[in-house]
Amino acid sequence: MQDPEITDDLIASHGFTPDEYAEVLNILGRTPSFTEFGIFSAMWNEHCSYKSSKKWLRTLPTSGPQVICGPGENAGIVDIGDNQAVVFKMESHNHPSYIEPYQGAATGVGGILRDVFTMGARPIAAMNALSFGEVDHPKTKRLVSGVVEGIGGYGNAFGVPTVGGEVRFDAAYNGNCLVNAFAAGLADADKIFYSAASGVGRPVVYLGAKTGRDGVGGATMASAEFDDTIEEKRPTVQVGDPFTEKRLLEACLELMATGAVISIQDMGAAGLTCSAVEMGDKGGLGVKLNLDAVPQRETGMTAYEMMLSESQERMLMVLDPAKEEVARAVFEKWDLDFAIVGETIEEDRFLVMHGGEVKADLPLSKLSSTAPEYDRPWVETPKAAPLEDAPEIDPIEGLRALITSPNHARKHWVWEQYDAQVMGDTIRVPGVGAGLVRVHGTEKSLAFTSDVTPRYVKANPVEGGKQAVAEAYRNLTAAGAKPLATTDNLNFGNPEKPEIMGQFVGAIKGIGAACAALDMPIVSGNVSLYNETDGQPILPTPTIGAVGLIENPEDIIGGLAQEGDYALVIGDSTGHLGQSALLLEAFGRAEGDAPAVDLDAEKRNGDFLRSQAAWLSAATDLSDGGLALAAFEMADAAGIGVTLDSADTGDLFGEDQARYLIACPFDCAETLFVAAGQAGVPIAQVGRFGGDAVTLGASSAPLENLSEAYRTAFAEALA
């Protein structure tokens, strides 16, 4: 087959700017072959090179005594003591999921699991953060159904518990849903595997499933806006097989135990190209590949197709040549392909052979570490006007508006499709705060959460960025966990627009400040840009995934409110209603500024709550919907009523930060008040738990009726 001519249209379709293609010509001193052109386009696109975000990502705090490995590897690694480490990362599969929801979401789960086990960790938990358009948009129901089914279909079959996540709806996602997948695993701290190649003349080995044409060009597609040609992009979505991935996990962990692995890399975005280039570049080596040896499941595949295929369930490894037969036997036992497809070389060269011909001969370092980097122009987001006319509403009607909205209704329809109990170590299933998983064979537990409030970020990127981290901190704390570290998934629109880049920069500043103040360094993450359709951007959505540690079972805050418990609020309340959930759901208004985040107060109040775990029946952080929604959710979970003393809209629905609602017995309340006074922590009694009604000031309704609406609204809205 004759390679196509490299025309202006072809250059544009591969995501190159004219200046970038001119730089390719300058580097090579000649016109690239079609395969070389494809390799450059894959490595220099936004999805792989982070060319618009690297400048700002470098400003994030990424280190600390708990950090074993920060950003730059397949996943971040944090020490949890006893020579154990938690390995975790979050990554997006937004564009593929909008084009083909089931496979897009399924392969997002598969990809993030490989990022974890390629480090030598066995996955123990998964989460997902999903953003969809309006419920009545023509595509939303199909997208929700397909994405949820894809996540469940892959994760359940692979055998990893899904323990948390979030689902939101907003018109801004009508043309571009978000599917952010998180995975965490456990590894021995002295048995971690990295991706940097080492040693000249060592075999480069292809592991796993065969290569097909699915996903060719997927990374380039993920680095561009959508338009009316979206249906033509369907072939760029990968096809997953969770049963093959499960075998790949077991084979890789068994192989790692033999000592045969020098370095290993998941074949994710840009497939064979990205994995080979990144391994070589990190190790300061070149790589020679022979594509004739690549296992293929389709006939007549070209070098271009093989290099850019994103077929799933594949790994690339640099092997100790003395242990080749041992390694081969492991993969043959698991009925997976094992093929030597190349070798490491001393010179800075990426040499690709196919059919006895040189298809690519490139300076390897120019493809990765010296890819283009931009300092995009940006403008600061204008300060939002304060909310002038905060509305009043009957408290029960305000609560009803929240709990019957798909954004805040109970979402068991979603998470009951996920297996949360597989592996037998899940302590807390989704739906009641941070997910909790035992560290098998120990007294320790790990807590997991993902959080962001996009409307805050749009109104005030700096405070919204802080708030995403602070809410993650509070969710871990409310479970009794000491927050350890974070991963991020930064979802934004087109960075070439200064106002969008300004959102990104502001959010990074806020995230960085919060991570530093709360000692939650960013150890891994993903940037997803160009989330726009026909020029309409998504809400800025920098999702924060966070992990916390509980040393002893008695430190877990995991109970339910009891009859007669006092309802106490830790933290200051001023009744901030700007950008509140009540304002949006009851009045259709997204107005005012985001709530300010006092990071000193977050740290002080969080430390205090964890220190008082023994006195608490239950705890939750206060965020969307304020005190009223938090109290109702606590009452619904316990099956008992609640009475809140105030009827003031700001008191009940304000979204001031650094606050927790706790339930505690009468005889523990005095102890808490004394301890809070000594610690300088604000605390106030706001009501009582008990009875069979929800009473907010003078307004009341049976808990049974409200719970019925809360538990059925989501499924009814999505029919």
Side-chain angles (χ1 to χ4, degrees):
M1 181 186 299
Q2 186 172 357
D3 287 342
E5 180 184 355
I6 299 176
T7 63
D8 290 345
D9 286 346
L10 193 68
I11 291 168
S13 71
H14 279 66
F16 280 116
T17 66
D19 287 346
E20 287 170 347
Y21 183 65
E23 181 60 19
V24 171
L25 297 178
N26 181 56
I27 289 170
L28 297 181
R30 58 177 172 79
T31 300
S33 70
F34 184 54
T35 301
E36 290 173 331
F37 174 77
I39 289 169
F40 266 107
S41 77
M43 293 305 302
W44 282 15
N45 67 53
E46 195 74 58
H47 193 72
C48 293
S49 73
Y50 289 54
K51 58 191 175 187
S52 296
S53 57
K54 280 190 287 192
K55 168 185 168 69
W56 296 102
L57 296 177
R58 294 190 188 102
T59 68
L60 291 170
T62 59
S63 60
Q66 71 273 45
V67 178
I68 295 173
C69 177
E73 274 292 339
N74 288 290
I77 308 173
V78 174
D79 192 342
I80 59 170
D82 307 310
N83 193 42
Q84 291 182 306
V86 58
V87 180
F88 62 96
K89 187 183 181 184
M90 181 174 276
E91 193 160 81
S92 62
H93 236 221
N94 302 335
H95 284 52
S97 298
Y98 190 75
I99 296 168
E100 176 50 61
Y102 183 95
Q103 290 296 349
T107 53
V109 174
I112 199 66
L113 289 169
R114 289 195 303 280
D115 281 339
V116 167
F117 71 74
T118 193
M119 307 290 293
R122 179 174 291 279
I124 62 162
M127 296 190 296
N128 51 81
L130 312 176
S131 302
F132 299 103
E134 295 168 298
V135 170
D136 57 0
H137 186 272
K139 288 193 174 182
T140 296
K141 292 174 184 177
R142 183 181 74 88
L143 289 171
V144 173
S145 177
V147 164
V148 170
E149 189 178 353
I151 290 168
Y154 204 101
N156 296 351
F158 178 87
V160 62
T162 297
V163 298
E166 53 187 344
V167 184
R168 70 178 54 84
F169 298 87
D170 190 277
Y173 305 103
N174 280 347
N176 199 128
C177 66
L178 301 183
V179 175
N180 294 175
F182 169 99
L186 288 173
D188 291 341
D190 59 354
K191 295 177 183 175
I192 291 166
F193 290 82
Y194 297 96
S195 59
S198 63
V200 175
R202 283 179 165 156
V204 174
V205 183
Y206 174 115
L207 307 168
K210 289 178 168 56
T211 294
R213 291 186 172 92
D214 55 317
V216 172
T220 301
M221 174 270 293
S223 304
E225 292 183 33
F226 282 151
D227 54 28
D228 57 10
T229 65
I230 184 172
E231 291 301 323
E232 298 171 14
K233 296 180 171 68
R234 195 173 300 275
T236 63
V237 179
Q238 311 93 325
V239 177
D241 179 354
F243 300 104
T244 297
E245 178 120 334
K246 175 64 172 175
R247 288 184 286 123
L248 182 62
L249 160 71
E250 300 299 344
C252 283
L253 294 182
E254 185 175 334
L255 179 64
M256 290 165 173
T258 69
V261 178
I262 303 298
S263 60
I264 189 165
Q265 174 77 34
D266 161 43
M267 284 197 226
L272 188 55
T273 288
C274 193
S275 56
V277 169
E278 288 191 356
M279 289 175 76
D281 187 61
K282 288 175 184 176
L285 295 172
V287 174
K288 178 181 179 180
L289 295 178
N290 173 22
L291 299 186
D292 295 337
V294 170
Q296 300 163 55
R297 56 179 161 82
E298 300 188 45
T299 59
M301 289 191 71
T302 65
Y304 174 96
E305 290 171 329
M306 278 188 274
M307 293 305 296
L308 271 66
S309 167
E310 294 183 8
S311 294
Q312 297 292 285
E313 295 86 42
R314 301 180 302 159
M315 296 279 195
L316 200 65
M317 173 183 72
V318 174
L319 174 72
D320 179 348
K323 297 188 176 180
E324 178 185 334
E325 291 311 311
V326 172
R328 186 185 299 276
V330 169
F331 271 73
E332 287 179 351
K333 183 185 93 171
W334 288 100
D335 194 23
L336 294 165
D337 280 295
F338 177 101
I340 296 175
V341 296
E343 64 177 336
T344 56
I345 56 179
E346 187 170 8
E347 56 196 307
D348 178 20
R349 190 179 185 192
F350 191 39
L351 184 61
V352 179
M353 308 291 296
H354 185 222
E357 298 179 8
V358 175
K359 293 295 184 180
D361 192 351
L362 303 168
L364 187 143
S365 63
K366 297 292 184 183
L367 295 167
S368 182
S369 56
T370 56
E373 182 175 335
Y374 295 121
D375 185 1
R376 300 277 191 199
W378 61 280
V379 295
E380 189 171 335
T381 300
K383 184 172 177 58
L387 183 65
E388 296 288 348
D389 57 337
E392 293 293 328
I393 190 171
D394 176 82
I396 290 295
E397 291 311 305
L399 177 62
R400 197 183 301 276
L402 290 172
I403 65 177
T404 58
S405 157
N407 281 314
H408 306 291
R410 196 167 190 264
K411 297 182 178 65
H412 56 288
W413 180 90
V414 175
W415 47 259
E416 284 179 355
Q417 297 186 53
Y418 308 148
D419 190 338
Q421 300 287 2
V422 64
M423 301 180 76
D425 281 314
T426 302
I427 298 171
R428 181 190 282 176
V429 298
V432 286
L436 295 177
V437 175
R438 275 183 292 268
V439 178
H440 194 75
T442 76
E443 295 287 289
K444 296 178 291 190
S445 304
L446 288 166
F448 304 99
T449 187
S450 70
D451 297 284
V452 67
T453 307
R455 64 183 183 278
Y456 290 174
V457 186
K458 183 179 181 183
N460 189 327
V462 176
E463 292 303 311
K466 287 182 191 175
Q467 192 274 340
V469 177
E471 186 174 347
Y473 172 86
R474 293 197 304 271
N475 273 327
L476 297 176
T477 292
K482 176 179 171 54
L484 287 179
T486 57
T487 181
D488 57 21
N489 205 142
L490 307 175
N491 308 275
F492 289 82
N494 185 342
E496 297 167 44
K497 298 178 179 177
E499 65 275 15
I500 298 294
M501 197 65 205
Q503 292 176 344
F504 182 87
V505 171
I508 286 283
K509 289 180 177 181
I511 289 167
C515 286
L518 301 176
D519 191 21
M520 297 169 68
I522 297 274
V523 297
S524 60
N526 172 254
V527 178
S528 176
L529 302 177
Y530 295 96
N531 288 291
E532 299 198 6
T533 297
D534 294 328
Q536 297 300 309
I538 61 163
L539 289 175
T541 311
T543 308
I544 298 295
V547 176
L549 177 66
I550 302 173
E551 296 275 6
N552 300 296
E554 58 266 27
D555 294 331
I556 295 173
I557 305 172
L560 299 172
Q562 303 296 313
E563 185 77 28
D565 274 355
Y566 276 22
L568 308 179
V569 168
I570 292 173
D572 282 320
S573 301
T574 65
H576 183 95
L577 287 170
Q579 297 297 329
S580 66
L582 177 75
L583 198 65
L584 183 65
E585 304 296 355
F587 300 97
R589 296 165 57 186
E591 300 170 16
D593 200 358
V597 180
D598 182 337
L599 293 170
D600 290 336
E602 292 283 4
K603 184 75 166 60
R604 180 182 64 246
N605 296 356
D607 287 346
F608 173 76
L609 181 72
R610 287 193 303 278
S611 73
Q612 304 300 315
W615 307 108
L616 311 181
S617 299
T620 184
D621 87 300
L622 296 189
S623 52
D624 270 356
L627 173 61
L629 184 57
F632 168 77
E633 289 176 343
M634 197 178 280
D636 175 77
I640 59 173
V642 64
T643 297
L644 298 180
D645 301 327
S646 176
D648 181 78
T649 302
D651 289 347
L652 291 172
F653 299 100
E655 295 181 5
D656 305 288
Q657 301 296 293
R659 298 189 303 157
Y660 301 85
L661 173 64
I662 59 177
C664 74
F666 167 78
D667 56 357
C668 297
E670 184 176 355
T671 302
L672 286 169
F673 272 91
V674 171
Q678 293 172 343
V681 170
I683 189 169
Q685 183 186 350
V686 294
R688 296 280 289 270
F689 286 94
D692 57 7
V694 175
T695 302
L696 307 178
S699 185
S700 186
L703 173 66
E704 182 180 10
N705 292 357
L706 293 173
S707 291
E708 174 70 12
Y710 176 55
R711 291 165 182 261
T712 58
F714 187 89
E716 287 177 357
L718 287 151

